């Protein structure tokens, strides 16, 4: 007699029964795992493609030249009026202009044009940016305070690359001493730049 899948006793063999009655993955779970795998593969492929595009873009991009100003170059910024008196603006601007002229007379010293340097008057710009824009290695800045006949001048020569002071000085004088202060500052700056 033909027994088929059933054994002689009319029961399923143990191996066949285990296959039929064992809990397998539910169809939805299998679908989700497959979809998650596809999404993961797609995301990984996109990440690799983006990385490859970034590497190619960086390799083809022109190199940015490092800030390299000429040696012994300086810009004289407008001196800041710390007095609050508008008439002192003429004094502080005149002092910076005269210093720029005096420094320009020194051989082998490159001085940025006054009109270019005065562009930054009243603007809150860091020294490194000023140096890059004017292509100078140092920036001379300062302030003027006036009280009666007394004047206080502060001058600071700053390395445009590092932002550190190369030289700084404060001068307390009377208004009669204005020309001598200009000369003292110009001489000190020249010495600091050489």
């Amino acid at each position: 007699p033909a027994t088929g899948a059933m054994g002689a006793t009319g029961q399923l063999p143990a191996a066949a029964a285990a296959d039929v009655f064992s809990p397998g993955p539910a169809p939805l779970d299998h679908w989700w795992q497959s979809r998650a795998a596809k999404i993961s593969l797609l995301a990984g492929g996109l990440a690799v493609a983006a990385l490859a595009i970034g590497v190619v873009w960086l390799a083809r991009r022109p190199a940015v030249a490092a800030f390299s100003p000429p040696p012994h170059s300086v810009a004289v910024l407008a001196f800041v009026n710390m007095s609050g008196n508008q008439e002192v603006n003429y004094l502080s601007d005149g002092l910076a202009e005269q210093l720029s002229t005096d420094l320009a007379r020194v051989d082998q010293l490159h001085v940025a044009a006054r009109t270019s340097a005065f562009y930054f008057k009243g603007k809150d710009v860091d020294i490194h940016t000023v140096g890059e824009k004017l292509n100078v290695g140092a920036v001379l800045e300062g302030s003027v305070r006036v009280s009666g006949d007394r004047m206080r001048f502060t001058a600071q020569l700053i390395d445009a690359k590092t932002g550190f002071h190369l030289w700084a000085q404060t001068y307390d004088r009377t208004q009669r001493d204005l020309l001598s202060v200009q000369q003292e500052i110009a001489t000190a700056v020249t010495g600091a730049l050489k």
Side-chain angles (χ1 to χ4, degrees):
T3 59
M6 298 274 194
T9 62
Q11 294 185 354
L12 288 172
D19 282 346
V20 171
F21 296 109
S22 69
L28 270 175
D29 288 342
H30 179 67
W31 174 83
W32 174 248
Q33 288 173 352
S34 174
R35 182 179 172 135
K38 289 177 185 175
I39 290 173
S40 295
L41 285 173
L42 179 62
L46 289 174
V48 168
L51 180 64
I53 290 170
V55 167
V56 169
W57 179 77
L58 284 173
R60 298 186 75 188
R61 182 173 72 127
V64 178
F67 174 49
S68 179
H72 312 297
S73 56
V74 64
V76 181
L77 299 183
F79 278 43
V80 177
N81 172 6
M82 304 293 281
S83 297
N85 181 349
Q86 292 300 335
E87 291 180 11
V88 177
N89 278 337
Y90 298 113
L91 174 65
S92 59
D93 288 353
L95 175 62
E97 183 174 2
Q98 189 61 48
L99 282 169
S100 183
T101 302
D102 290 348
L103 291 171
R105 290 186 200 143
V106 177
D107 287 337
Q108 299 179 357
L109 190 60
H110 306 285
V111 181
R114 182 197 61 84
T115 52
S116 299
F118 273 43
Y119 168 80
F120 296 99
K121 181 178 179 176
K123 294 185 171 128
D124 188 20
V125 181
D126 66 278
I127 294 298
H128 184 78
T129 301
V130 172
E132 280 188 324
K133 296 277 186 193
L134 299 177
N135 195 32
V136 294
V139 175
L140 178 65
E141 65 177 3
S143 63
V144 178
R145 288 186 177 95
V146 176
S147 178
D149 188 39
R150 300 294 301 168
M151 297 186 304
R152 172 171 281 177
F153 301 97
T154 302
Q156 305 169 12
L157 183 65
I158 302 168
D159 186 309
K161 284 184 174 182
T162 65
F164 296 129
H165 285 81
L166 298 171
W167 167 86
Q169 186 65 43
T170 299
Y171 302 89
D172 289 316
R173 301 287 194 272
T174 63
Q175 290 186 11
R176 292 185 309 254
D177 298 328
L178 180 60
L179 294 177
S180 66
V181 167
Q182 288 175 190
Q183 187 58 47
E184 286 179 56
I185 294 172
T187 301
V189 168
T190 302
L193 287 173
K194 287 189 174 181

